[in-house]
Amino acid sequence: HAPLADRSATRLHRRAMCGIVAYLGPSTAKDVMLAGLARLEYRGYDSAGVACVEAVPPAAATANGPPSVKRRSSSGPSHTIGVVKAAGKVSVLASRSSSSLNTGTVGIAHTRWATHGAPTDANAHPHTSSDGGLAIVHNGIVENFVALREELQRNGYR
């Protein structure tokens, strides 16, 4: 058996990790994902966030507005990716998102344990592209971030 000090460190390490929850289905994605994030709270985290694909009514899709939040898929209705992030507990995230992200049935959510950067709203995941058309989460350190950034920039993302 490992010495007591080693077992304590291992137990702490197992608890301090990020978590990812994704959903695609008939229910409201935000509600399903917040419940999933709440189940991951025992692992430890310092911030959380959720992104949902939200339908944009046809009138809103054609109205003048910031193009960075509207997308038109080639096979379906217009949509936007709504993102809410919060430093702190999942309950803070739930409060902040209570009046938004209520129609999407597709989404991704994340709890973060900061290893690089402070535990702030801005550093919480999901991260989005400059045009709002892409939302990502990840666990760990992205070692090949330069190659990924270059590929995304070649494809028009900033």
Side-chain angles (χ1 to χ4, degrees), residues 34 38 41 45 48 86 88-97:
L34 287 173
E41 286 186 302
Y45 65 99
K89 301 258 181 217
V90 171
S91 59
V92 174
L93 177 65
S95 293
R96 284 193 185 171
S97 64

Side-chain angles (χ1 to χ4, degrees), residues 59-106:
T62 58
N64 292 330
S68 63
V69 297
K70 292 184 277 190
R71 287 277 177 255
R72 173 150 315 267
S73 75
S74 58
S75 62
S78 292
H79 66 278
T80 183
I81 299 176
V83 176
V84 178
K85 306 191 288 185
K89 301 258 181 217
V90 171
S91 59
V92 174
L93 177 65
S95 293
R96 284 193 185 171
S97 64
S98 65
S99 63
S100 61
L101 309 179
N102 292 318
T103 63
T105 59
V106 176

